[in-house]
Amino acid sequence: MSRRSEEKLAERADRLAEEEALRDLAAGGSGLVGLDGFGAQAAAKKSAKSAKKSAKAKAAGSDAQRGGKEKGPAKPRELYVPARGWQGAGGGRVGYMDPPTMWRATTVQACGMWPFAAGSGSPMTGVPLGQHLSTGATVCGDPLNWFTRARYISNPSLFMLGMPGLGKSTLINRMLIGLAATGVVPLVLGDLKPDYADTVRALGGQVISIGRGRGGINVLDPGAMGEAAAKIGGEAGEVLKAEAHGRVLNMVAALITIVRGRTMDDHEQSVLSAVLHHLRERTPPGRTVLLPDVLRVLTEGPDRVRAVTLDRGDDARYRDAVDPLHRSLLGILDGPLGDTFASETSTRIDANAPAVCIDISGIGEADTQLTAAAMLAAWSDGLGTVAASHALADAGLAPRRWFFTVLDELWRPLRAASGIVDRIDALTRLNRSLGLGDAKITHTLKDAEALGTDADRAKARGFVERAGMVVCAGLPKTEMEDLGKVVGLSRREIELVSSWSSPPGWGVRGEDEEPPGRGRFLIKVGGRPGIPIKVAITDAERELHNTNTRWTTNEAAIEQAAARAAREVARLSQDGPLPLAFPGDPAPLELPADDASVRGWTA
């Protein structure tokens, strides 16, 4: 073929390609629908190139046909459209999309939608708590399930620290609800605000009110332990009686410690133990021993009690030995604790209840002695119920039950008197052997530093060191650095939790501004990296739990007050002229009753 023929063939191919591209563009076909601007031009160029090749093939075919070599028709080449569109303006380019939100459900609920199982980077054993702040994955956990099922911790206990108003009790409320659904019995032993009473009622549990004029606790009543010992009988029953005796002795000693401000002497505990044994042996069945009975025995001075005082028949020596104890007991009965602890227990704990809350919110904030005594008595009674339940289960007389206790506002009983930390330590140290999980809640580690002696401070710090789980809400940086010496926190974890302690922003229109740390927690277990979570409460939880009820406007009371004011104005207007007096006026100003402006102003 000559050079002139080649040039004509190329011009013909270009012309055919442009015509074919324009026809496709006008018809909206070949994948060009919806393109405009640069995208349409680019598509036309690509289509022109494709058509040019097709035209060349057609021209070559015609020449070959004329030369005697016949070929079949060339197959038109379709316009190539990338899966994500063309780049450039108007090209319809689709960017990468964020992954969809992940939802988790049990295999019972979601087996039909997704019958496959997948692993998770966050713990999935226990009560659903919230979402991981970094990954958005669901985080589950609680002291009992992490101890029994997951084996993440060696002690079923939780210690929580955080500034007020950031949701500490909200998270514990969620644990209570989740554990109750699995058959665990929540025990809130001393609800101070109250934060948990409504939740326990919603679970069908028992709420017991303690305080002046509300109800009392007889600390000498063995309660559920005494009833269980009578049912079991034999050697096991005697062992339970001895344990109940020791628990009562510790509780009376705690009350005396609160009144005195210092611990009892060793010989005084021996005298008190002898008095309690004497009363148990001589009290008829069906009647419980009271604190006034202890005073009566000390006054009488039976031989069994005198023997431990080493009086050697000298009444003066006996009085010298028992008079300090006698005065302290009188201080309990005639002082701020007498109304609550001098009489029979108003309501005993129901060992078969699905949940129990001892509400002491009726005690005033300034009444530190009564608050500490009520909390200790509630803890002693509640943990005695736990021991009785397990003793009955060991004897085959009742099913095995697990318990989860909440010890909120721990700093209040700790500051009541020196030596109280020993009582709390004795009550809670053996929870692993009792089938009992617990949650202790306070504000900062400085609550322990405020204790009077170095020994008490060391024991209080031991609560954090022995805890299986440590949960931190927002805390200042200095507090987190001190906590890091006990728990082991990285610099990033200290900075993260410290940022949650910042105050809320200024509301532009007066609307509520939440603190940045509300609902955010860091869960630490041993030397593992912390798990930061965000807790979002449901509407049901919001109705059950509101720690700011005293700051909520009572709309019903406002409407009632307005209605009373309207009725009073109407009554005065019917009686005659409305008096209008100003401060300092010698006599009220009389105005006619039919003056509408006066009636409207008065209303």
Side-chain angles (χ1 to χ4, degrees), residues 7 24 55 93 121 138 185 200 218 221 225 248 302 314 330 341 394-395 433 438 474 506 521 535 549 563 584 587 597:
E7 289 177 356
D24 289 342
R93 187 72 170 176
T138 302
V185 181
V200 170
N218 178 17
D221 185 0
M225 295 186 72
V248 169
D314 187 350
L330 285 173
F341 300 103
D394 293 339
S433 61
D438 73 86
W506 301 108
F521 303 92
V535 178
T549 52
S597 62

Side-chain angles (χ1 to χ4, degrees), residues 133 163 166 473-477 480 491-504 515-518 520:
L133 281 179
M163 297 177 66
L166 296 183
L475 285 170
K477 190 172 183 178
M480 290 301 299
R491 177 56 52 185
R492 180 71 186 93
E493 290 171 343
I494 292 176
E495 293 175 355
L496 176 64
V497 179
S498 300
S499 67
W500 297 340
S501 64
S502 302
R518 179 171 293 173
R520 287 172 168 80

Side-chain angles (χ1 to χ4, degrees), residues 328-578:
S328 297
L329 290 172
L330 285 173
I332 294 175
L333 294 175
D334 297 334
L337 309 183
D339 294 341
T340 307
F341 300 103
S343 59
E344 295 278 358
T345 299
S346 56
T347 305
R348 283 190 174 185
I349 294 177
D350 182 5
N352 297 318
V356 176
C357 173
I358 299 181
D359 180 7
I360 61 174
S361 60
I363 302 175
E365 289 281 343
D367 203 343
T368 57
Q369 286 190 339
L370 182 57
T371 298
M375 290 186 76
L376 288 175
W379 294 350
S380 179
D381 197 13
L383 296 180
T385 302
V386 173
S389 176
H390 287 304
L392 290 171
D394 293 339
L397 300 177
R400 179 75 64 191
R401 307 176 78 191
W402 291 350
F403 298 85
F404 180 65
T405 62
V406 178
L407 310 179
D408 205 346
E409 300 291 343
L410 191 64
W411 61 273
R412 294 184 67 174
L414 287 178
R415 294 183 183 180
S418 176
I420 291 297
V421 66
D422 292 326
R423 305 299 170 187
I424 299 174
D425 187 50
L427 289 173
T428 61
R429 181 177 285 270
L430 299 178
N431 55 349
R432 183 174 63 179
S433 61
L434 289 176
L436 174 73
D438 73 86
K440 304 181 187 71
I441 308 171
T442 189
H443 293 153
T444 68
L445 279 182
K446 289 184 178 179
D447 294 335
E449 298 300 325
L451 298 179
T453 64
D454 292 337
D456 285 351
R457 288 191 287 269
K459 291 171 185 174
R461 285 193 297 268
F463 294 156
V464 185
E465 296 170 352
R466 290 196 304 272
M469 299 171 61
V470 177
V471 180
C472 304
L475 285 170
K477 190 172 183 178
T478 54
E479 295 285 344
M480 290 301 299
E481 290 175 347
D482 292 340
L483 181 62
K485 299 175 184 178
V486 180
V487 177
L489 298 168
S490 67
R491 177 56 52 185
R492 180 71 186 93
E493 290 171 343
I494 292 176
E495 293 175 355
L496 176 64
V497 179
S498 300
S499 67
W500 297 340
S501 64
S502 302
W506 301 108
V508 179
R509 302 180 185 86
E511 66 273 11
D512 293 336
E513 290 285 341
E514 282 198 354
R518 179 171 293 173
R520 287 172 168 80
F521 303 92
L522 180 71
I523 303 175
K524 287 290 292 185
V525 175
R528 297 173 183 258
I531 305 173
I533 65 171
K534 166 66 176 176
V535 178
I537 63 174
T538 62
D539 291 338
E541 290 174 308
R542 189 175 288 107
E543 292 177 2
L544 290 174
H545 180 65
N546 181 11
T547 58
N548 295 324
T549 52
R550 295 293 176 87
W551 295 95
T552 303
T553 304
N554 191 339
E555 300 293 343
I558 294 175
E559 292 177 0
Q560 292 174 4
R564 285 195 301 269
R567 289 194 299 269
E568 184 66 16
V569 170
R571 184 184 65 80
L572 292 175
S573 63
Q574 292 173 0
D575 293 343
L578 296 176

Side-chain angles (χ1 to χ4, degrees), residues 193-211:
K193 292 183 180 178
D195 288 337
Y196 309 94
D198 291 339
T199 301
V200 170
R201 289 190 186 97
L203 294 173
Q206 180 187 28
V207 178
I208 302 172
S209 296
I210 299 298

Side-chain angles (χ1 to χ4, degrees), residues 27-61:
S30 301
L32 299 177
V33 177
L35 299 180
D36 57 0
F38 178 80
Q41 296 174 8
K45 288 181 179 179
K46 288 191 176 184
S47 181
K49 290 181 181 179
S50 177
K52 186 187 294 185
K53 292 181 180 179
S54 177
K56 286 182 179 179
K58 288 180 181 179

Side-chain angles (χ1 to χ4, degrees), residues 92-350:
R93 187 72 170 176
V94 179
Y96 287 106
M97 296 181 65
D98 292 333
T101 303
M102 297 178 61
W103 300 92
R104 286 188 175 89
T106 65
T107 53
V108 175
Q109 297 168 325
C111 58
M113 298 173 59
W114 186 256
F116 308 107
S120 173
S122 58
M124 293 293 294
T125 304
V127 177
L129 301 179
Q131 288 184 303
H132 197 289
L133 281 179
S134 301
T135 65
T138 302
V139 178
C140 302
D142 60 80
L144 272 75
N145 282 292
W146 279 17
F147 174 74
T148 57
R149 295 170 57 195
R151 302 291 181 183
Y152 294 149
I153 57 179
S154 59
N155 186 17
S157 62
L158 178 149
F159 198 96
M160 181 178 289
L161 304 100
M163 297 177 66
L166 296 183
K168 299 188 298 297
S169 54
T170 300
L171 182 62
I172 298 301
N173 255 300
R174 175 162 293 185
M175 288 188 184
L176 292 186
I177 296 171
L179 289 172
T182 63
V184 177
V185 181
L187 299 176
V188 184
L189 305 177
D191 194 356
L192 285 158
K193 292 183 180 178
D195 288 337
Y196 309 94
D198 291 339
T199 301
V200 170
R201 289 190 186 97
L203 294 173
Q206 180 187 28
V207 178
I208 302 172
S209 296
I210 299 298
R212 295 188 183 93
R214 296 171 177 264
I217 297 178
N218 178 17
V219 295
L220 302 182
D221 185 0
M225 295 186 72
E227 295 177 357
K231 287 183 180 179
I232 296 171
E235 184 178 353
E238 293 299 323
V239 171
L240 195 59
K241 285 182 180 179
E243 186 177 348
H245 172 82
R247 190 174 295 273
V248 169
L249 179 61
N250 285 332
M251 191 56 231
V252 178
L255 293 182
I256 293 175
T257 299
I258 291 173
V259 172
R260 287 183 178 179
R262 61 177 182 83
T263 57
M264 292 177 61
D265 296 331
D266 54 353
H267 73 276
E268 290 179 321
Q269 295 194 35
S270 300
V271 172
L272 183 59
S273 178
V275 170
L276 293 176
H277 279 300
H278 176 83
L279 287 171
R280 299 289 181 207
E281 293 171 357
R282 287 163 175 76
T283 301
R287 182 184 178 277
T288 56
V289 180
L290 302 175
L291 280 177
D293 297 329
V294 177
L295 288 177
R296 177 177 52 80
V297 172
L298 287 176
T299 302
E300 295 173 354
D303 293 340
R304 180 167 187 171
V305 177
R306 288 177 177 271
V308 298
T309 62
L310 302 178
D311 67 329
R312 296 183 177 86
D314 187 350
D315 190 67
R317 288 172 59 91
Y318 171 75
R319 295 301 168 190
D320 290 340
V322 301
D323 279 351
L325 177 61
H326 201 152
R327 282 193 294 269
S328 297
L329 290 172
L330 285 173
I332 294 175
L333 294 175
D334 297 334
L337 309 183
D339 294 341
T340 307
F341 300 103
S343 59
E344 295 278 358
T345 299
S346 56
T347 305
R348 283 190 174 185
I349 294 177
D350 182 5

